[in-house]
Amino acid sequence: MQQYRPCLKIVFLSLFLLTLAPVLFAQDYLDPSKPIEVRVKDLISRMTLDEKYRQMGNSVPGIPRLGVPAYNYWSEALHGVARQGLATVFPQADALGSTWDPVLLQQITTVVSIEARAKTNAGSQKNLTFWSPTINLLRDPRWGREEEGYSEDPYLTGRMAVGFIKGMQGDDPKYLRTVSTIKHFAANNSEFNRHRGSSDMDERDLREYYLAAFKAGVVDGHVQSLMGAYNALNRVPCCASKELMTDILRGEWGFDGFTVSDCGAIADIYTGHRFAKTSQEAAAMGVKAGTDINCGGVYQSSLKRALEQGLIAESDIDLALFRAFRARFRLGEFDPDSMVTYRSIPISELDSQAHRDLALLAAKKAIVLLKNDKGILPLDAKSLKSIAVIGPNANRAIFGGYSGTPSFSVSPLDGIRNKLKAPQHAFIRIKAESFSDQSGIKTGPCREGGRNVGYVNEGDWVKFAAIDFADGCSGVEVRVASQSKGGTMEFRLDGLTGPKIASVVVQSTGNWQKWVTLSAAAGPAAGIHDLYIKFYGTGFDDLINLNWFEFKPVNPNYRAALNSGGVVVDYVEGCTVGGRDESGIAAAAALAEKADAAVVVVGTDLTVSDEERDRSNIGLPGVQEKLVQAVYAANPKTVVVLVNGPRLEINWIQENAPGILCAWYGGQSQGAAIADVLFGDYNPGGKLTTTWYKTLDDVPAIYKYDVREGNRTYWYYEGEPLYPFGHGLSYTTFAYSGLKLSARAAKAGAAVKVSLTLANTGTREGDEVVQLYIRNNDPAEKLPKKKLVGFERVTLKAGQKKTVTIPLAVNGETLGYWDASAHAFRLNPAAIDVMVGSSSGDIRLTGKLRVTSGGIDKAGGKK
């Protein structure tokens, strides 16, 4: 495998070692043969107090005299390496949860961590600790960060967390590929009060519901980092809670990694929660509670005075540093390249075809078929002559929060056009050699969306794009944002001295330039035309920063370019996601009326729900429902595709539209995945991981965290949901039979094997997620109506059968409940219902177990 130059910090360290080899090779921390604990303690013992303080923030300086490079603990990788330029962008987290496939998630995060190493090996300034995944439970649909989590269910969330962690951290016995950070510990589920709110609950809710996924990440995933939350738990700020950060995390679960605060959470201890009076008290509380690293500057600025005031001991600081540096040593930061196999990962791994293929597969596996009345789906491409694609999310690819920059992206409209081989009227190929930023090269169809360009010299003509015009294209529109305050911007096509198709001069009136139409009376000739840009005039410096540019086709005449027998694909936006303007709805309805079928792509984006932005309602925002109603009235053969982060209340659509797909924020290939499902090249098998409500009228306020009495989640919800937890249809059918419970008297700590026969009774290959639930009927306790305790995603060909076996753990955590008086899980004698089905609302097989003082007795099963 080709070797690439190591990152700058390794070069620095290597040169330093060569210079001072006689001295440094005698130091334990630089000796790879020594135990890691010895090495870390030796390094810390050589630091001065001031050096120690400075090492306790998220961005820390180097210590040149010790050969310690600077380090930034803050990187993100929720669904791909984020905010570092080019990277493969996978579906958002709630979409990945809907795959019900922890193995797939582990494959994805293996790719993510490989790309992270490749970027670092090639000289990236970012480091290798990643603040992902988010494993807070999706208990309330109004939470602004719902897209970042996996499920409302703690067991499913825990299994996905373990898959994520194992992929990120790798399987090398000595070195970590990257460090994964589970967040936000704990019970963090609202944005409106995130710097001052308290999540209040009893001990049972905390242990049974809110902590379960974190325990799985620590005990089963062996995660090496954990982030403390902004909020307080029962009035104690999480990052100042010794009970959370030390007693439970390290004492009970055996966590051996390091902890970090959410950004600003240590300051919140005294500014938001008023739990401490000064920054010195807050810093001391955080470190002594077990929060090792502060995202923010409070530790670095206040620990010295806290030590002088006797609020903290140097040994407390040493312990925090030991935990953080142990992770850095496990990344191989202080060892030779030859010992750390991950340092040989080449830059060619970045954005490879295999990674692109996996992103497409994940997007397809995440799609949930919500409704398919009279088999409207899949659409028959052979019988269609025209299709109307409508909606605010049709002509753009939405990634969601914490995203990287892919080399291409496919919108739903792109995907449908590509699938039907409809004519495409403009393609953009970026010529990156003129730019300082080499990472954002885009290749793909002309669409709305842009990228950071870089810097262009004033007065120079720069060729920065090649536009491939198809027959019938009337032109292209360009919009550029710059840091200029005035002056002139000029565009040209096809050369600087010879004949040109268009030349436009625009006077700048601000940072954003207006749309500029480049066209000719007869339209550009088919083929590739170079686009040039020049800045000159007043108000410019020597270099102009082109922050952003966008392209879109101008009035494309698709019908004029159709080949014989082709499918006409026409597009109208209809409305924006959150806007109130209804003026475009009539045009959308008119387009739908003359088409053989209509696909309406509606949903959300980050303006609707995001970090620091909870929702007040869960309906389709803006006038999108009116758009769907008008299109359906014009053409009953209407399929609704949801491109959404959070779940939605879509009662009217469920009652009327014959076909509904939930495609989520599906990553860079979301449009291709949607098209594959729409036209039957892939059979959807995703399942919902949350309860979709018809109304919020009977759901408590978002700030109320009580689960048992709160009418929340499928565990306790008493109403009729729009879609139940686990719901998802298929283009084929599955039959369940032959439920068997293997053990007659399994002892506590063992497992009952639950087995059944699953058969594909339809005509297509498909995936089914077999879901195992239990209900403890102990009359003395209020326990969940159903509780997920196992699942398996199974692929079967038409007519194929398979025996599916799922182990059912026999312990109080799985079958019993938390006894607050004993501070432990308890398994009392009780009757246990065993339920297997296609969703929590579609149980196909049932059986019974009886908990006795001697263990578990089988009581039988039935269809």
Side-chain angles (χ1 to χ4, degrees):
M1 184 176 290
Q2 186 179 358
Q3 286 287 114
Y4 280 73
R5 64 183 179 86
C7 62
L8 294 177
K9 64 184 179 183
I10 302 302
V11 172
F12 173 82
L13 180 57
S14 299
L15 292 174
F16 190 82
L17 290 176
L18 290 173
T19 304
L20 300 180
V23 176
L24 293 183
F25 283 150
Q27 297 177 351
D28 286 344
Y29 76 94
L30 290 173
D31 185 351
S33 68
K34 298 286 187 181
I36 191 170
E37 288 78 10
V38 172
R39 298 178 68 189
V40 177
K41 288 179 180 178
D42 179 62
L43 174 59
I44 294 171
S45 72
R46 298 174 186 275
M47 295 181 187
T48 67
L49 264 175
D50 285 340
E51 288 170 342
K52 291 177 181 180
Y53 302 142
R54 288 194 291 268
Q55 291 297 309
M56 296 186 70
N58 58 285
S59 181
V60 299
I63 308 176
R65 69 181 187 86
L66 296 176
V68 176
Y71 196 84
N72 188 344
Y73 286 91
W74 187 353
S75 295
E76 305 280 355
L78 190 61
H79 53 124
V81 179
R83 301 173 175 177
Q84 296 187 42
L86 179 64
T88 305
V89 177
F90 292 92
Q92 183 56 288
D94 58 353
L96 294 174
S98 296
T99 68
W100 290 63
D101 194 341
V103 174
L104 174 68
L105 186 54
Q106 184 172 342
Q107 293 169 344
I108 288 169
T109 53
T110 296
V111 164
V112 174
S113 60
I114 286 172
E115 292 198 351
R117 276 285 182 173
K119 293 167 79 71
T120 301
N121 292 344
S124 169
Q125 295 182 1
K126 288 284 186 179
N127 296 110
L128 293 168
T129 52
F130 289 88
W131 292 353
S132 306
T134 298
I135 60 172
N136 298 111
L137 301 175
L138 309 184
R139 64 171 187 106
D140 194 297
R142 291 162 290 200
W143 186 34
R145 303 183 75 169
E146 185 169 54
E147 64 171 87
E148 295 184 37
Y150 296 112
S151 175
E152 70 184 25
D153 181 80
Y155 178 79
L156 176 56
T157 299
R159 291 305 94 202
M160 299 304 285
V162 171
F164 189 106
I165 294 161
K166 287 184 175 180
M168 286 297 288
Q169 296 189 167
D171 55 6
D172 188 286
K174 183 172 183 179
Y175 295 108
L176 299 165
R177 190 159 48 222
T178 63
V179 170
S180 178
T181 304
I182 52 177
K183 63 184 186 183
H184 311 82
F185 192 59
N188 177 259
N189 281 119
S190 56
E191 297 302 293
F192 76 96
N193 63 345
R194 71 191 204 144
H195 293 289
R196 64 184 186 281
S198 180
S199 303
D200 297 336
M201 68 200 67
D202 65 17
E203 193 174 320
R204 264 195 63 188
D205 275 352
L206 177 66
R207 293 291 190 149
E208 292 178 8
Y209 188 71
Y210 290 102
L211 295 189
F214 286 95
K215 181 178 181 181
V218 171
V219 175
D220 299 333
H222 304 291
V223 72
Q224 289 300 293
S225 180
L226 175 144
M227 177 179 285
Y230 285 124
N231 57 278
L233 176 65
N234 294 326
R235 307 299 167 177
V236 179
C238 289
C239 290
S241 172
K242 181 176 177 292
E243 178 187 15
L244 279 178
M245 305 300 285
T246 296
D247 298 345
I248 294 174
L249 181 62
R250 298 185 185 277
E252 294 183 25
W253 299 347
F255 176 66
D256 63 353
F258 73 95
T259 60
V260 61
S261 77
D262 207 339
C263 294
I266 299 299
D268 286 344
I269 294 173
Y270 71 98
T271 61
H273 298 292
R274 306 292 183 183
F275 195 75
K277 294 180 180 179
T278 66
S279 63
Q280 298 86 51
E281 287 184 4
M285 285 178 179
V287 173
K288 293 174 73 172
T291 305
D292 302 319
I293 297 295
N294 168 214
C295 179
V298 175
Y299 280 3
Q300 290 163 311
S301 64
S302 300
L303 279 176
K304 181 177 182 179
R305 282 176 292 167
L307 185 65
E308 292 169 350
Q309 294 169 16
L311 299 174
I312 195 170
E314 185 176 358
S315 59
D316 298 319
I317 296 170
D318 288 350
L319 179 58
L321 286 176
F322 173 84
R323 294 163 176 165
F325 269 97
R326 181 169 53 189
R328 291 176 63 174
F329 272 84
R330 291 198 64 195
L331 288 167
E333 185 175 338
F334 297 92
D335 292 352
D337 288 359
S338 59
M339 296 185 66
V340 186
T341 57
Y342 298 133
R343 292 238 182 90
S344 65
I345 295 174
I347 197 62
S348 59
E349 288 282 356
L350 187 64
D351 187 39
S352 69
Q353 188 58 51
H355 297 180
R356 296 179 180 186
D357 292 344
L358 186 61
L360 174 59
L361 175 63
K364 291 191 287 190
K365 295 188 80 167
I367 292 176
V368 183
L369 178 59
L370 296 176
K371 182 180 179 182
N372 193 18
D373 193 18
K374 297 180 181 179
I376 186 175
L377 291 171
L379 297 172
D380 183 3
K382 294 181 180 179
S383 68
L384 290 175
K385 294 298 182 183
S386 63
I387 185 169
V389 181
I390 297 165
N393 283 351
N395 195 24
R396 57 178 181 157
I398 304 175
F399 302 146
Y402 293 104
S403 295
T405 303
S407 62
F408 70 94
S409 62
V410 185
S411 71
L413 179 60
D414 296 333
I416 292 170
R417 285 176 178 166
N418 293 338
K419 177 65 65 177
L420 299 177
K421 296 181 172 58
Q424 310 239 351
H425 287 264
F427 290 81
I428 300 302
R429 293 202 309 280
I430 302 306
K431 304 293 186 180
E433 62 268 16
S434 299
F435 308 137
S436 61
D437 176 13
Q438 299 288 315
S439 65
I441 301 171
K442 281 185 178 289
T443 302
C446 178
R447 67 175 70 85
E448 291 191 53
R451 61 167 288 240
N452 193 293
V453 179
Y455 292 90
V456 176
N457 287 316
E458 179 187 358
D460 288 348
W461 280 105
V462 176
K463 183 173 72 173
F464 74 103
I467 306 175
D468 189 355
F469 289 102
D471 288 336
C473 183
S474 61
V476 66
E477 292 184 348
V478 182
R479 180 167 67 170
V480 177
S482 73
Q483 288 183 344
S484 63
K485 296 181 180 179
T488 303
M489 179 187 309
E490 186 172 349
F491 301 89
R492 292 192 182 191
L493 289 177
D494 292 346
L496 305 179
T497 58
K500 58 182 179 292
I501 291 177
S503 178
V504 181
V505 176
V506 171
Q507 186 70 28
S508 172
T509 57
N511 284 348
W512 271 102
Q513 313 300 322
K514 295 180 179 179
W515 283 105
V516 178
T517 302
L518 305 177
S519 63
I528 297 174
H529 300 272
D530 290 326
L531 176 62
Y532 292 78
I533 190 170
K534 180 170 71 171
F535 290 91
Y536 58 90
T538 61
F540 292 110
D541 297 324
D542 292 336
L543 293 176
I544 302 305
N545 185 8
L546 302 182
N547 298 89
W548 197 258
F549 68 81
E550 295 179 299
F551 297 90
K552 68 178 181 180
V554 179
N555 300 322
N557 183 0
Y558 296 109
R559 296 173 187 273
L562 278 176
N563 296 319
S564 176
V567 180
V568 177
V569 180
D570 285 322
Y571 162 69
V572 170
E573 183 181 50
C575 65
T576 60
V577 165
R580 309 304 304 180
D581 185 1
E582 301 179 25
S583 61
I585 293 179
L591 189 68
E593 186 175 16
K594 65 182 180 181
D596 292 339
V599 175
V600 189
V601 187
V602 292
T604 61
D605 58 21
L606 292 180
T607 67
V608 174
S609 178
D610 193 9
E611 187 170 357
E612 296 191 279
R613 185 182 294 114
D614 292 324
R615 292 186 292 170
S616 59
N617 66 78
I618 60 172
L620 269 178
V623 296
Q624 292 183 84
E625 185 170 288
K626 290 184 178 181
L627 174 67
V628 177
Q629 291 170 344
V631 171
Y632 174 74
N635 188 336
K637 195 172 183 179
T638 292
V639 175
V640 175
V641 177
L642 302 176
V643 173
N644 56 304
R647 71 194 109 164
L648 294 162
E649 176 269 294
I650 52 168
N651 295 332
W652 187 93
I653 294 173
Q654 169 60 25
E655 291 170 5
N656 294 277
I660 309 172
L661 290 176
C662 179
W664 312 104
Y665 300 154
Q668 64 187 43
S669 294
Q670 58 191 259
I674 289 168
D676 279 347
V677 171
L678 282 173
F679 295 100
D681 292 325
Y682 186 83
N683 187 353
K687 301 279 187 175
L688 298 180
T689 66
T690 55
T691 302
W692 285 40
Y693 299 102
K694 290 182 177 181
T695 176
L696 287 178
D697 290 347
D698 53 359
V699 177
I702 189 172
Y703 58 83
K704 294 184 178 180
Y705 278 76
D706 189 305
V707 178
R708 288 199 317 284
E709 304 301 329
N711 202 30
R712 289 191 186 278
T713 80
Y714 78 97
W715 276 21
Y716 296 107
Y717 184 61
E718 297 294 340
E720 181 183 356
L722 177 64
Y723 304 115
F725 174 85
H727 173 72
L729 306 176
S730 173
Y731 295 155
T732 190
T733 54
F734 296 95
Y736 290 65
S737 63
L739 179 66
K740 296 180 180 179
L741 308 178
S742 66
R744 181 149 188 89
K747 295 181 179 180
V752 173
K753 292 182 180 179
V754 180
S755 62
L756 64 134
T757 299
L758 181 70
N760 183 339
T761 54
T763 59
R764 292 173 176 265
E765 178 179 302
D767 287 9
E768 172 70 330
V769 179
V770 178
Q771 301 166 40
L772 173 62
Y773 298 88
I774 63 98
R775 176 171 56 239
N776 185 318
N777 293 294
D778 187 338
E781 301 291 338
K782 182 173 183 178
L783 298 171
K785 295 160 53 179
K786 292 186 183 75
K787 185 171 79 167
L788 184 74
V789 291
F791 62 89
E792 183 176 342
R793 183 162 179 156
V794 182
T795 302
L796 294 178
K797 295 179 180 179
Q800 185 181 3
K801 296 181 179 180
K802 181 179 179 180
T803 299
V804 179
T805 301
I806 302 174
L808 174 58
V810 178
N811 55 47
E813 196 163 358
T814 302
L815 300 180
Y817 63 95
W818 180 265
D819 184 343
S821 62
H823 305 294
F825 281 99
R826 178 183 295 278
L827 184 56
N828 286 336
I832 306 291
D833 293 331
V834 178
M835 298 164 280
V836 181
S838 186
S839 80
S840 65
D842 184 10
I843 299 300
R844 307 289 184 87
L845 303 171
T846 61
K848 287 188 179 294
L849 295 172
R850 186 172 64 253
V851 177
T852 68
S853 58
I856 298 289
D857 280 351
K858 184 178 67 174
K862 64 180 180 179
K863 183 173 180 179

